[in-house]
């Protein structure tokens, strides 16, 4: 049986390159996890997701519990089998999405009662039910149930939610039902307030989780606030455990966070942008809807190993986007995921070579120069 | 330089198995051509289209002349390069779609003046312009410009359109600008009237085209009317030239038409049905929206070589369709194209073995039995 583990293989300043091992394989960190909300990375085949270098897909407990249902997925062999992704899966706890998507929410000490945004049916999520659902889905990493508040917010509200999340962390850890190679992760809360973040981190570290996430960021605050919170909080987390910055971010966010010692990311940005005609490339972000691309025979990046990035002209992508063709969404999503993974692979190599700062600077210079874009 | 050619490799009754050679490869007949309207087989990557055994993609002149424009496609290296499909392409003439999609059409001896359904811009299609567009697109098979009328219709109207199409056939052939390995095909018209069909066929055979299509069928008439027209018309076409039944059809239509000596087909059915939750299989047609599939761990067909058909449960496909996920459209389109190509490959093998009637009967028995469906 494979045990869940994390090793730091190289460090460069606070940045580190490492390896997470789960029941479904190895994850090279820093890792970008592709968002696979409803048991699909939208518009993508899993084979192509894998070919971008993606090691982890993220599934959303909130979506999956409502449709098709966690017990249904379990009967069908678990989420890996269901969606044909035999590699590592991380599931969130449902805590964040129940607050942003569900109707008629009521938060109590016990958990959150809510109505489905799909059909209005009534449900209850508690730390125990969230961990049960994640065990039924069979994901490799189970996130603790937490409450995440928007920023800016009052100290009282941030503190209340942080303390509730600490109590839910304890209940989540007790309710964790994973086997070998599976692990529960804690989520540090505390908004943009250093003392609350440190208190949350300290308490969670005492609980000795196999991994630590930073939640409640990328919820509307400016980038410099997020980076300040990382500067203040990451040093309080154990060196030997993976650190996951939830819901982040732009390519520039990723470089900043890696520099500050973050190991894992997830974000809808590359996939959502791909469905809306936007491409992330070495040359910056391009809007393929733009008429300037209509006659351009160049691919997004001739040097890319990704077929979507390399084998189709910008003129063709422009045509597909303008025509509302599904293939346009597929190719741009694929190209974006490939670029995010290329960025991470470059970061890992640079950390191993002790030149991460130079890599980040060169990468940003490429975006600024544009040129090919 | 490859010359355009057609050989009949085997015959079984009127059914024949053969090979068309074009500038972009060989086409095994009977052939089902995937519809690639706007330079994309909707929801599919060309790699996967090819993997189903598809030898030909059909492009629509009407759509492509309006967006992105034939001259634009030519500047970008032609349709093969533009859409990343290096195999054979057949383009229609725009005649059929200008009648079904465009606004404010006016048919004269010269051609058809119309307004774009996209932006209302004014255009004119003539036999000469249609052939010029198809040459700019660089397709391998160029269809003559014709006028297709709906059925049922008056003898006068069917006769008028048939005679106009004959004059346009002559102008189309004169205007054909293809090179080696490219060829113009004629279109037999005449509605459901045997004498008009025979007159059309006779006149077109005198013009000596490299291939002959039957147009104006699958436009609302019952299957038995279509099959009667095939019985009456196919014998008037040369044995040594490929015969293409345009816009047909269901798997059952294909078997009946192959039995009557047809070599080529195109139809939106497998692709359109795939985008609407329908699957064509050995076990008949399935509606994946149906709640009966929600807990079914079986794939569409465990014995299929197609990943979409073999590697995903019906429960997962049901989930994707119910959730409106793009991957559901992609997988079902892929599975449907794969089934159509499996049906054609089976027909070709059966013809070579002199057992086509048995193959058709067994195939129909599989649909009727359902069982796995």
């Amino acid at each position: 049986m494979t045990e869940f583990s994390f090793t730091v293989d190289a460090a460069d300043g606070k940045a580190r390159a490492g390896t997470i091992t789960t029941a479904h394989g190895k994850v090279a960190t820093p890792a970008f996890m592709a968002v696979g909300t409803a048991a699909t990375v939208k518009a993508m085949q899993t084979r192509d997701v894998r070919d971008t270098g993606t090691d982890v897909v993220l599934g959303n407990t909130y979506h999956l519990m409502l449709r098709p249902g966690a017990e249904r997925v379990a009967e069908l062999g678990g989420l890996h089998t269901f969606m044909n992704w035999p590699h590592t899966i991380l599931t969130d706890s449902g805590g964040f999405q129940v607050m942003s998507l569900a109707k008629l929410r009521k938060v109590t000490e016990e958990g959150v009662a809510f109505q489905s945004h799909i059909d209005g049916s009534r449900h209850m999520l508690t730390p125990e039910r969230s961990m049960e659902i994640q065990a039924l889905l069979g994901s490799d990493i189970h996130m603790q149930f937490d409450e995440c508040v928007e920023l800016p917010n009052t100290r009282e509200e941030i503190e209340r939610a942080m303390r509730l999340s600490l109590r839910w962390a304890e209940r989540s850890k007790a309710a964790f039902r994973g086997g070998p190679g599976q692990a529960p992760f804690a989520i540090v809360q505390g908004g943009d307030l250093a003392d609350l973040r440190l208190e949350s981190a300290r308490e969670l570290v005492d609980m000795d989780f196999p991994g630590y996430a930073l939640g409640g960021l990328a919820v509307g605050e400016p980038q410099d606030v997020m980076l300040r919170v990382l500067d203040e909080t990451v040093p309080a987390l154990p060196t030997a455990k993976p650190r996951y910055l939830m819901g982040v971010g732009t390519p520039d966010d990723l470089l900043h966070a890696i520099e500050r010692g973050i190991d894992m990311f997830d974000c809808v940005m590359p996939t959502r942008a791909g469905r809306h005609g936007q491409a992330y490339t070495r040359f910056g972000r391009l809007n393929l809807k733009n008429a300037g691309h209509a006659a351009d025979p160049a691919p997004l990046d001739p040097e890319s190993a990704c077929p979507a990035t390399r084998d189709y002209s910008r003129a063709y992508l422009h045509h597909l986007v303008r025509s509302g063709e599904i293939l346009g969404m597929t190719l741009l999503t694929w190209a974006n995921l490939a670029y995010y993974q290329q960025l991470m692979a470059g970061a890992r190599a640079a950390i191993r070579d002790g030149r991460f700062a130079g890599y980040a600077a060169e990468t940003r210079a490429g975006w600024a120069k544009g040129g090919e874009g």
Side-chain angles (χ1 to χ4, degrees), chain A:
Chain A
M1 289 295 206
T2 306
E3 292 297 324
F4 181 91
S5 69
F6 175 62
T7 58
V8 176
D9 305 321
D12 179 11
K14 288 184 186 165
R16 40 279 188 100
T19 308
I20 298 169
T21 302
T22 76
H24 288 86
K26 292 192 180 297
V27 179
T29 67
F32 182 80
M33 306 189 284
V35 175
T37 305
T40 162
V41 177
K42 288 186 188 295
M44 292 285 290
Q45 295 178 41
T46 49
R47 170 194 60 186
D48 299 332
V49 172
R50 182 60 173 166
D51 281 352
T52 63
T54 299
D55 288 333
V56 190
V57 164
L58 180 149
N60 286 125
T61 283
Y62 173 79
H63 285 279
L64 294 168
M65 72 182 282
L66 298 181
R67 190 169 57 192
E71 280 74 9
R72 171 62 48 74
V73 173
E75 286 160 21
L76 291 161
L79 189 54
H80 294 87
T81 300
F82 186 59
M83 70 181 290
N84 199 15
W85 175 258
H87 314 289
T88 296
I89 294 177
L90 178 148
T91 40
D92 67 4
S93 70
F96 179 79
Q97 294 201 313
V98 78
M99 299 309 285
S100 55
L101 295 176
K103 296 188 288 191
L104 296 177
R105 296 177 300 276
K106 190 170 178 228
V107 181
T108 61
E109 185 67 29
E110 175 63 10
V112 185
F114 64 95
Q115 289 190 6
S116 160
H117 72 290
I118 299 169
D119 62 6
S121 56
R122 290 169 188 282
H123 301 265
M124 177 89 187
L125 261 180
T126 63
E128 292 74 19
R129 178 59 181 156
S130 171
M131 299 313 275
E132 182 184 23
I133 289 171
Q134 295 181 72
L136 286 164
L137 296 174
S139 57
D140 301 282
I141 299 174
H142 303 187
M143 299 307 298
Q144 74 148 97
F145 194 60
D146 66 336
E147 188 190 355
C148 170
V149 296
E150 288 179 0
L151 291 181
N153 217 318
T154 62
R155 180 178 179 88
E156 289 64 33
E157 179 64 2
I158 293 171
E159 185 166 0
R160 182 199 58 71
M162 181 274 281
R163 289 190 201 284
L164 179 62
S165 296
L166 283 178
R167 294 189 297 275
W168 286 357
E170 203 141 25
R171 286 168 55 192
S172 294
K173 188 154 187 282
F176 172 69
R177 289 290 172 269
Q182 295 176 301
F185 274 29
I187 304 177
V188 177
Q189 291 289 358
D192 51 355
L193 301 173
D195 64 320
L196 297 183
R197 283 277 171 187
L198 287 173
E199 180 182 339
S200 174
R202 215 162 30 230
E203 295 283 335
L204 292 169
V205 171
D206 281 349
M207 295 181 207
D208 194 24
F209 276 85
Y212 290 89
L214 288 155
L217 292 171
V219 290
E221 79 286 358
Q223 190 194 49
D224 63 334
V225 172
M226 179 179 82
L227 298 180
R228 175 179 57 75
V229 172
L230 294 186
D231 285 332
E232 293 162 349
T233 312
V234 171
L237 298 175
T239 306
K241 303 286 177 71
R243 304 159 181 162
Y244 162 28
L245 179 55
M246 304 182 81
V248 174
T250 65
D252 185 62
D253 288 338
L254 300 190
L255 292 179
H256 280 298
I258 291 169
E259 189 190 340
R260 287 161 174 81
I262 297 295
D263 306 303
M264 301 164 69
F265 303 91
D266 82 279
C267 189
V268 296
M269 217 168 267
T271 40
R272 182 173 290 165
R275 297 196 305 284
H276 290 88
Q278 312 290 315
Y280 288 97
T281 75
R282 283 196 293 142
F283 317 110
R285 184 166 156 160
L286 309 178
N287 183 350
L288 270 304
K289 282 182 204 152
N290 200 308
H293 301 294
D296 190 345
L300 290 174
D301 186 347
E303 292 172 27
S304 173
C306 170
T309 311
R310 185 192 59 205
D311 297 344
Y312 300 86
S313 66
R314 295 175 186 205
Y316 183 60
L317 296 170
H318 169 82
H319 166 68
L320 293 177
V321 170
R322 282 287 183 104
S323 304
E325 288 288 349
I326 287 169
L327 183 60
M329 301 192 204
T330 298
L331 292 177
L332 288 174
T333 300
W334 191 3
N336 288 347
L337 264 186
Y339 180 65
Y340 266 64
Q341 298 302 357
Q342 179 185 333
L343 183 71
M344 304 307 272
R348 292 191 296 266
I351 293 166
R352 283 194 296 269
D353 296 348
R355 54 173 182 84
F356 181 75
Y359 171 74
E362 287 155 25
T363 300
R364 289 191 177 101
W367 299 334
K369 191 170 137 230
E372 300 293 320

